Amino acid sequence: MESDNPVSKKSRLVHSVDCTMEEAPCTPVGVNQSLQWAQWQILDSILPTGGFAHSYGLEAAMQSRMVNNQEDLRSFVIQVLENTGSLLLPFVYCASKSPDAAAWVKLDQLLEATLTNEVSRKASTSQGSALLRVAASVFTEIEALQDLRRTFLGSKSVSFHHAPIFGLICGLVGFDSETVQRAYMFVTMRDVFSAATRLNLIGPLAASVLQHQVAPDAERMMQKWRDRDVAEASQTAPLLDALQGCHAYMFSRLFCS
């Protein structure tokens, strides 16, 4: 008959746990784990791609009195996400699906012809070229990134727009197409809220709460516009495009766009 001594019971429990831990095999870090580290790094705000130098038209919208409070900000972010999904997500998807130089050049040239807003076009090329420079420096094991930068650096045939570059890099790193598209929507949403805090429209805590609330809308936009060909890319928020175009004419400004 076993003793009901609590100490004895504790000893048996500890012994049982120790045995379980000894039997569990050690799992080495594999491909999936490495991919997750790469995903987190690409989405990390510390990555110096220049995204935080742009407000996606929010600064111009505030000076135009179209965004005045938190509710206006929420509506603005949702419109930005809708327009990003309809106009840029097809370029991200196609670049990630065929991550090779020839396909990327065609997508880059097509987006250059599609963007008629000079401010947004310059912002796109600035962020795209910075992203390629950073990715080539970080992911040195991917030779295609090094070759791409060496081949097209200083070339007049490409503009290094952000959406195709983002899709290309994520495709080369090994992301699946759904993750790439969701990540692009997240980066866009994150940068707009960051701009809102630096413009003192909203505090950091309130911005985090609002970002969490808008996340289902971002997912809905991603599902609505995902897996589309660039032939279906369209502008769904012309007013936002016009506002961003006014950014260059503002007397004082904190952001580049």
Side-chain angles (χ1 to χ4, degrees):
M1 183 174 179
E2 295 185 358
S3 172
D4 290 332
N5 188 337
V7 177
S8 178
K9 288 184 177 180
K10 182 178 179 180
S11 299
R12 290 197 300 271
L13 179 60
V14 171
H15 178 70
S16 176
V17 172
D18 288 343
C19 290
T20 304
M21 293 178 65
E22 287 175 1
E23 292 173 0
C26 294
T27 303
V29 177
V31 176
N32 291 337
Q33 289 85 347
S34 298
L35 178 58
Q36 286 187 5
W37 285 103
Q39 291 175 343
W40 295 335
Q41 184 165 10
I42 287 180
L43 300 182
D44 195 340
S45 60
I46 201 174
L47 207 66
T49 60
F52 288 165
H54 307 278
S55 71
Y56 292 80
L58 178 60
E59 188 172 19
M62 289 177 61
Q63 290 202 22
S64 302
R65 299 294 186 270
M66 296 197 67
V67 176
N68 302 294
N69 50 50
Q70 185 168 319
E71 191 57 37
D72 292 343
L73 175 61
R74 178 176 185 144
S75 176
F76 179 85
V77 171
I78 291 175
Q79 291 182 64
V80 169
L81 291 172
E82 174 85 35
N83 196 60
T84 299
S86 64
L87 182 62
L88 300 177
L89 212 58
F91 289 90
V92 175
Y93 167 66
C94 292
S96 66
K97 188 174 64 173
S98 301
D100 61 84
W104 167 74
V105 168
K106 292 179 180 179
L107 291 170
D108 183 82
Q109 293 173 344
L110 180 58
L111 187 54
E112 172 70 15
T114 301
L115 295 177
T116 57
N117 184 332
E118 183 66 17
V119 174
S120 62
R121 184 164 61 238
K122 286 183 177 180
S124 176
T125 57
S126 173
Q127 292 181 73
S129 57
L131 179 60
L132 178 60
R133 183 187 70 248
V134 172
S137 300
V138 173
F139 303 108
T140 54
E141 70 276 9
I142 303 178
E143 294 183 6
L145 286 175
Q146 322 301 322
D147 296 339
L148 192 73
R149 191 159 186 260
R150 281 193 297 267
T151 302
F152 294 101
L153 189 64
S155 172
K156 300 296 183 181
S157 61
V158 291
S159 303
F160 298 102
H161 281 287
H162 186 254
I165 278 288
F166 186 91
L168 174 72
I169 292 171
C170 291
L172 289 174
V173 170
F175 288 23
D176 63 88
S177 63
E178 182 176 348
T179 301
V180 174
Q181 293 172 87
R182 185 174 288 110
Y184 195 76
M185 297 293 278
F186 170 79
V187 168
T188 301
M189 179 175 62
R190 178 202 67 189
D191 290 354
V192 177
F193 279 119
S194 173
T197 60
R198 282 179 290 159
L199 289 167
N200 293 321
L201 178 62
I202 193 173
L205 178 59
S208 298
V209 172
L210 189 55
Q211 180 174 333
H212 179 68
Q213 294 172 351
V214 173
D217 295 294
E219 177 65 20
R220 179 168 53 84
M221 299 301 176
M222 196 281 291
Q223 295 295 341
K224 178 181 179 181
W225 298 106
R226 61 176 288 190
D227 299 349
R228 293 180 181 248
D229 188 77
V230 289
E232 300 180 64
S234 60
Q235 171 72 262
T236 58
L239 181 58
L240 292 183
D241 192 56
L243 280 172
Q244 191 169 23
C246 294
H247 190 94
Y249 301 101
M250 294 191 302
F251 178 75
S252 62
R253 52 184 182 268
L254 178 64
F255 294 91
C256 296
S257 72

